[in-house]
Amino acid sequence: MGISSELKEKIVFLAQKYETKDFLEKDPSKFMHRYKSVRDQETVAFIAANMAFGQRVQILSHIEQILAQTNCPSQWVQKEGYRDFFTQGNKSFYRMYTHNDFIIFFDTLKSMLDNSDTIGNYICNHYNGGFLHETICSLFPENCALIPHSKTTAAKKVNMLLRWMVRDNSPVDIGLWSSWYKKENLLVPLDTHVMQEATKMEILPPSSSGKPKSATIKTTIELTNTMKEIFPSDPVKSDFALFGLGVDI
């Protein structure tokens, strides 16, 4: 669908308004900025992104609990420090995610760190085209609850991770993987706030039944393609406009 010049101007204005260092204060993306090594930044980004759902205060609090265990997250993972922290089996740690769920998640991160100089290079070596989130999800076992495996999922958390890792020249995103994956190929992380604002602005028209569309990969692609009318080489920049407005940072 076409998008009006007035709406384009509004989204450009909002993206510029929210893509600032101030955005980091209440966002899980802030944690990766604490660290200097690429391996630590990648490790923390995976932790933070894949816990980023629910109330923001609770998200930040639970990420902090994990990061408080170490000053070097990548080494902590490689030395299996997470097995000393996640000891309660099927007891919940964060919402529906159990201690066992986190052990499975960290076991895969450990394997990536053990077998490559960086997590990004490990993923790059396994990437064979298509959407990058699909490759990342396939690297985790089917029983890893933190990572989506459905072919229809919007994979919001993984696509948010990719925004952080691929977009460069940003006060928020750190662009560690920009040399091998283009930001023009990123997908908008489709969360509740983004869906609400895109629907209000009629960027996402209702489904054929007249009801709001659901957060699927099909809807994600549709929204991303529309945002390319505004930011052709960087459609995910629009995430700052839609998400920022939705949470009214």
Side-chain angles (χ1 to χ4, degrees):
M1 62 172 288
I3 188 167
S4 70
S5 58
E6 181 180 356
L7 186 52
K8 287 181 181 179
E9 290 177 6
K10 179 178 181 178
I11 292 173
V12 169
F13 169 78
L14 290 171
Q16 292 172 341
K17 175 182 178 181
Y18 291 117
E19 190 180 6
T20 68
K21 287 185 178 180
D22 291 339
F23 184 91
L24 293 169
E25 182 180 347
K26 299 178 181 179
D27 192 75
S29 57
K30 72 177 183 178
F31 294 108
M32 61 189 179
H33 288 266
R34 290 182 181 176
Y35 303 88
K36 293 184 179 180
S37 81
V38 169
R39 288 164 68 85
D40 283 343
Q41 289 173 327
E42 290 175 328
T43 300
V44 171
F46 261 88
I47 296 169
N50 285 289
M51 293 179 66
F53 74 107
Q55 295 183 350
R56 300 181 89 193
V57 172
Q58 290 299 316
I59 294 169
L60 302 182
S61 171
H62 282 77
I63 295 170
E64 287 279 19
Q65 289 180 44
I66 296 174
L67 298 184
Q69 306 306 307
T70 179
N71 292 322
C72 185
S74 60
Q75 288 186 15
W76 181 74
V77 171
Q78 285 190 279
K79 294 178 180 178
E80 298 189 14
Y82 54 90
R83 290 184 176 272
D84 295 325
F85 181 69
F86 294 105
T87 60
Q88 301 301 309
N90 288 321
K91 182 179 178 180
S92 169
F93 173 71
Y94 179 61
R95 301 192 68 169
M96 77 283 288
Y97 295 153
T98 68
H99 285 240
N100 285 338
D101 290 333
F102 278 90
I103 288 175
I104 295 169
F105 172 77
F106 279 113
D107 280 346
T108 304
L109 283 188
K110 171 179 162 54
S111 178
M112 293 180 182
L113 289 163
D114 286 346
N115 288 285
S116 184
D117 56 338
T118 68
I119 293 174
N121 285 341
Y122 182 91
I123 292 169
C124 180
N125 290 335
H126 287 78
Y127 177 60
N128 292 313
F131 294 121
L132 186 52
H133 77 270
E134 295 175 335
T135 295
I136 293 174
C137 293
S138 72
L139 295 174
F140 288 80
E142 290 284 340
N143 64 339
C144 183
L146 275 72
I147 301 293
H149 288 92
S150 167
K151 295 297 183 182
T152 62
T153 179
K156 170 259 178 176
K157 295 182 294 182
V158 182
N159 281 313
M160 183 174 67
L161 167 73
L162 289 173
R163 198 202 80 202
W164 297 353
M165 292 291 101
V166 175
R167 291 189 71 252
D168 53 5
N169 301 313
S170 169
V172 178
D173 304 326
I174 57 179
L176 296 178
W177 303 350
S178 60
S179 64
W180 61 271
Y181 196 77
K182 296 180 179 179
K183 57 188 175 185
E184 65 190 58
N185 294 327
L186 293 172
L187 294 173
V188 174
L190 196 62
D191 80 341
T192 301
H193 301 292
V194 172
M195 282 285 292
Q196 287 176 344
E197 296 306 321
T199 302
K200 286 180 185 177
M201 294 181 187
E202 298 183 348
I203 298 169
L204 284 175
S207 65
S208 57
S209 66
K211 297 180 180 179
K213 292 185 176 178
S214 55
T216 63
I217 188 62
K218 182 178 179 180
T219 306
T220 300
I221 294 169
E222 180 182 0
L223 177 60
T224 302
N225 286 339
T226 300
M227 292 300 96
K228 285 183 178 180
E229 295 182 33
I230 306 172
F231 306 109
S233 63
D234 188 17
V236 177
K237 185 177 180 69
S238 63
D239 186 42
F240 289 98
L242 298 173
F243 178 81
L245 184 61
V247 297
D248 194 25
I249 296 172

